[in-house]
Every structure is written in structure tokens, then in C-alpha cells.
Amino acid sequence: MIAILKRNVTDEQTKSLTDWLKAMDLDVHISKGQEMTVLGLIGDTSRVDMDLLRSLDMVESVKRVSEPYKQANRKFHPQDTIVEAGGIRIGGGYFAMIAGPCSVESEEQIISVARSVQESGATILRGGAFKPRTSPYSFQGLRDDGIRLLLEAKKATGMPIVTEIMNISTLDLFEDVDIIQVGARNMQNFDLLRELGKTCKPILLKRGLANTIEELLMSAEYIMSEGNTNVILCERGIRTFEQATRNTLDLSAVPVLHERTHLPVVVDPSHATGQARLVAPMAAAAAACGADGIMIEVHNDPAHALCDGAQSLTPEEFSAVADQVRKIREAIQ
Ligand code: PEP
Ligand code: MN
């Protein structure tokens, strides 16, 4: 349930109202915007007398929120959430250019890719240390060493870093990681989501291979329900009958998510298409449809990459994509 307060309501009045609601065993989330203040009520709202609440002088309107996601719901929080990570903002007009290799392979590789994508305008460095691979015989990532090398690259360039967590038992290794990624395969690992919800780290939550938009929002809700509201959503393509691309990039998810949630939405055209030559047009399309950022795999030597070489851009190709994305953003602003 949400209660929208009248414009001239004082902080004191808001507090007395929230105290009254909390006494009914409800969690009250206050979202104070320039235009209006919204109180989001979570818990058993059947005990709230809607007519009584509506009749209060300070209350403009009261509505039930029928969607199962509450804290992630734009009705609860009408203004865009801006997530801050390592001094970089994402959402609410701030666009994130995230780039880097699928996997961290060596110190030379990660530092050279970091420097080149930074020069082309990337603001956040990606790189997998714990890799969720379909085959147990494929390269599994450098694990602890991978995180250590990413931190070296962060030190060398000043770029914030994002890397995937697969198991909560490794959380300590992520202390200096700026954004923790939950990969598509773990989108519904609810225990992992809950534990990450207890941290205050920004979380990049990727859409599952076969998950609906509502399921993605419910996974965000798992994180937020534990107190961590720093969630960035990522559309990375879904499984369909189509075989010409690795996945089908559901770009309509971007405007749909923007309607339904206040959380930032980034697009990963690399995993979505699986082919380097398709990354540029889909990155451009992502920018054009209002994404809050893009995440692109870049490798210094894609032909010899230990993971996802076919979809990896060279630093030069990334530079051209970044230029085009900037132009599209200028054109639509
Ligand atoms: C990744 O970004 O490294 C990755 C494994 O992506 P996804 O979880 O979307 O497959
Ligand atoms: Mn990859």
C-alpha cells in the first residue's frame, strides 16, 4: 500500500503518521521527492483502515500496490534511484559504460584492457574471477587471484570494478570490489540474494536465462527486503527458439522496467548476442531505448581469450562503439 502525502506536510507530521503506521507492525519506507512524499507500507496492510488514512488532512491519496514487488516498485519510489559505486553514478540520467574482459586472465591482460577501455570512455571495469561455466572442464576463472588482479587494475587506473560472486562463502574477497555481480545463472539463488541484501554493496543483478521481468524484479526485492537498495538491473538476453544469436536481447525490457521500477537498468549486448559484430548495433539500440548503461566484453586478443572470445571486442572496436553510444545519447537527450 502507498500513501501519497500533501505537498505542504511538515517532517513532524510525517513522523507522527509513520509512527502510527509502524505501531501497526508495518515497515514504512519514506520516499521524499521534489514533487511529493510517498509512504510505502510493507507488511500485513489488511489492518490499515484505508478510509481513515485517506481522510487524514495530510494525506492526498492511498492506493493498494497489487504487484508482488514493493520496494523495487516505482509506485513506492517515483523518482529514479541513482546508485553510486566507487565515485561513479548510475541511473537518473547518469550513464555507465562498463567494459572489460569476460575473465581476468593475467595482470598484463587486465591492466592493458583497463587502460585502453578507460581511454575510450569506459567508467567501470568488468572482469570475471569466478566464472559460471556450462562445462566443469572449461576455464573456471582465476578466483582469488582474479580478484587480486582486478584490484591491481583498479589501483593502476582508478576505475571502479565489477565482478561476479557465485558463492556467499567468498564474500570476504569482495571487500574492495565496487559492484558485486549476480550472474544470470544465480538470479534466483535466493539465499545468495538475501545475504547480499545484508551488505551495502551495489549489486548488478543480471536477468536469468529464462526469467520474466517480474521474476527479475522479485529477485531485486529479495536483496532490497534485507536493506540493500543499491541494485542495478541488467538485461543480458533471454533464451528463445532463435538460434542465430546466443540469446535474444529483450530490449523492450528496458522501457518496461523503467515504467515498473525506479532501479537503473543496464544492457549487456555481449552475452545477449554472443557475436562481436552484433555488439555495436545492439549497444546503440540499448542507448537509444533509454538504458542507464551498457556492459561490453573487451579483450586485447579475442582469438585467444579463455572465455567468450567470439563476443569480445578489441579495444579499438570498443572505442568506436563508445563513440557511437555517446552520439546517440546526445541525440536523445
Ligand atoms: C558475465 O557477465 O560474465 C556472465 C557470466 O554473464 P551472464 O551471467 O549474463 O551469463
Ligand atoms: Mn562472458
Side-chain angles (χ1 to χ4, degrees):
M1 184 182 286
I2 56 165
I4 299 172
L5 306 189
K6 288 195 177 142
R7 269 167 172 263
N8 51 357
V9 169
T10 64
D11 287 350
E12 251 174 25
Q13 286 174 305
T14 309
K15 184 172 181 318
S16 75
L17 180 58
T18 50
D19 286 349
W20 179 64
L21 292 162
K22 281 180 183 166
M24 283 184 252
D25 241 5
L26 297 171
D27 263 345
V28 184
H29 294 260
I30 306 176
S31 166
K32 205 169 173 177
Q34 272 178 343
E35 292 297 310
M36 59 183 172
T37 298
V38 176
L39 301 188
L41 314 182
I42 296 183
D44 180 8
T45 52
S46 63
R47 273 183 286 169
V48 179
D49 181 341
M50 277 179 87
D51 291 329
L52 174 61
L53 188 55
R54 211 175 265 135
S55 72
L56 299 178
D57 244 6
M58 66 183 98
V59 176
E60 177 79 41
S61 62
V62 180
K63 285 183 210 147
R64 286 216 177 269
V65 174
S66 51
E67 295 86 4
Y69 48 91
K70 309 292 179 190
Q71 296 195 54
N73 202 312
R74 194 177 276 283
K75 290 177 187 158
F76 260 54
H77 190 285
Q79 66 277 27
D80 291 338
T81 282
I82 299 171
V83 174
E84 268 200 65
I88 297 291
R89 292 175 175 165
I90 309 168
Y94 294 97
F95 190 84
M97 282 268 208
I98 309 170
C102 178
S103 310
V104 181
E105 297 175 7
S106 67
E107 181 165 346
E108 303 71 60
Q109 174 239 21
I110 190 67
I111 291 188
S112 113
V113 175
R115 287 198 200 285
S116 51
V117 296
Q118 183 177 41
E119 212 158 281
S120 308
T123 48
I124 299 172
L125 176 67
R126 67 150 284 146
F130 293 92
K131 294 304 302 175
R133 302 303 302 275
T134 301
S135 165
Y137 308 118
S138 303
F139 175 61
Q140 303 286 306
L142 295 182
R143 304 174 69 85
D144 316 32
D145 260 350
I147 302 233
R148 186 178 58 73
L149 297 178
L150 270 173
L151 292 171
E152 291 291 329
K154 173 177 169 173
K155 203 155 83 188
T157 59
M159 289 173 98
I161 53 174
V162 54
T163 191
E164 178 167 352
I165 193 165
M166 284 172 51
N167 192 311
I168 200 63
S169 65
T170 61
L171 183 63
D172 286 352
L173 296 171
F174 289 72
E175 198 178 331
D176 297 320
V177 168
D178 301 280
I179 303 176
I180 301 181
Q181 176 172 322
V182 174
R185 288 153 192 84
N186 269 316
M187 189 203 89
Q188 287 191 313
N189 183 339
F190 301 122
D191 285 347
L192 178 64
L193 300 177
R194 274 197 196 283
E195 289 304 318
L196 293 172
K198 292 175 188 157
T199 73
C200 49
K201 285 272 180 207
I203 308 295
L204 179 73
L205 177 63
K206 299 189 88 174
R207 182 176 179 181
L209 278 68
N211 285 111
T212 63
I213 289 173
E214 182 164 302
E215 286 165 343
L216 173 61
L217 290 170
M218 290 311 293
S219 291
E221 192 78 14
Y222 261 95
I223 300 169
M224 298 174 87
S225 68
E226 294 293 336
N228 186 355
T229 53
N230 295 312
V231 181
I232 304 155
L233 304 172
C234 179
E235 166 57 43
R236 47 75 75 205
I238 48 175
R239 272 260 161 101
T240 68
F241 51 79
E242 185 50 67
Q243 305 281 302
T245 48
R246 184 176 180 186
N247 291 289
T248 297
L249 181 53
D250 179 12
L251 274 186
S252 53
V254 175
V256 171
L257 283 167
H258 279 151
E259 278 168 14
R260 297 190 183 185
T261 182
H262 50 90
L263 298 172
V265 182
V266 310
V267 170
D268 170 353
S270 305
H271 291 90
T273 61
Q275 296 164 59
R277 71 176 200 292
L278 300 178
V279 169
M282 297 325 285
C289 73
D292 300 294
I294 47 171
M295 178 153 92
I296 293 183
E297 286 189 344
V298 180
H299 197 283
N300 50 327
D301 181 8
H304 295 100
L306 296 182
C307 183
D308 286 349
Q311 67 195 33
S312 298
L313 301 188
T314 61
E316 296 71 31
E317 287 165 341
F318 173 71
S319 174
V321 171
D323 275 349
Q324 191 182 30
V325 163
R326 266 190 298 273
K327 284 186 193 134
I328 289 170
R329 285 199 32 83
E330 276 165 27
I332 63 166
Q333 259 164 6

